[in-house]
Amino acid sequence: MTIAPQRVVTLHYVLGDTDGNVLDDSRARQTPLEYLHGHHNIVAGLERALDGQVEGAELSVTLMPAEAYGLRNEALVREVGRSAFPVDDLAPGMRFQTPGDDGPQVVTVVEVRDDTVLVDSNHPLAGHTLRYRLEVLGVREATRAELAKGHPLPPGTDHGSVEDRKAI
């Protein structure tokens, strides 16, 4: 079966940077990625590269920042009051989920000062060229419940019990 919108795709991937460092490896974690194609569940450039592929396909894809997690935006690095954090012992590299204009966002602590904290709400991979090695393990039609939810449902879910709020 061909990868196309409204189909669930299962794949293994190795994500690396341009220096050859492995950033993530689904096979090493023994957890393949499963996503609903055409529903913006993965980065746009990767979804475009997978469109039309078939089960068993193996491919390498290099994504420029704009096709992956976007360009870095220095306006997203800002100073906030230290009281905005739920813990006293802050350190650079710590991440926190905060409310954002478009829903929850993750901020990374860059620098801890006396009364303020410098945070970065860019995605950690923003501005990076990424290299993927992909192996398509399976492609299947999505169920009506998965289409209603916009993503694959966990194994063991009774698809008939999922409330369908979308017109298909």
Side-chain angles (χ1 to χ4, degrees):
M1 182 175 286
T2 302
I3 295 175
Q6 319 299 39
R7 293 188 176 155
V8 173
V9 179
T10 305
L11 56 87
H12 269 304
Y13 67 91
V14 176
L15 167 61
D17 62 17
T18 55
D19 294 328
N21 298 308
V22 172
L23 305 174
D24 193 10
D25 183 342
S26 67
R27 193 176 301 281
R29 286 185 285 106
Q30 300 178 4
T31 309
L33 172 67
E34 187 175 63
Y35 77 97
L36 181 57
H37 196 77
H39 287 253
H40 311 292
N41 294 157
I42 60 174
V43 295
L46 195 55
E47 192 164 61
R48 276 192 300 279
L50 285 162
D51 201 48
Q53 297 292 328
V54 296
E55 184 174 325
E58 294 184 21
L59 59 153
S60 294
V61 178
T62 298
L63 298 180
M64 299 306 290
E67 302 172 294
Y69 292 98
L71 301 172
R72 276 196 55 77
N73 179 351
E74 292 309 316
L76 297 177
V77 178
R78 63 191 183 283
E79 206 168 9
V80 296
R82 196 173 179 135
S83 62
F85 294 88
V87 297
D88 292 328
D89 193 21
L90 292 173
M94 294 176 83
R95 291 192 179 137
F96 295 89
Q97 183 171 317
T98 64
D101 294 339
D102 297 324
Q105 67 179 5
V106 174
V107 298
T108 303
V109 173
V110 176
E111 184 180 334
V112 180
R113 300 174 179 161
D114 290 336
D115 296 324
T116 61
V117 178
L118 190 64
V119 297
D120 184 352
S121 55
N122 283 288
H123 187 282
L125 295 176
H128 293 271
T129 298
L130 302 175
R131 293 190 172 144
Y132 288 87
R133 287 193 323 267
L134 307 162
E135 179 186 358
V136 179
L137 302 174
V139 182
R140 65 172 173 81
E141 293 292 340
T143 66
R144 182 177 171 93
E146 289 170 323
L147 293 173
K149 290 294 185 185
H151 59 81
L153 297 175
T157 301
D158 175 8
H159 289 229
S161 68
V162 174
E163 187 173 347
D164 185 352
R165 293 179 185 234
K166 288 186 179 179
I168 296 179

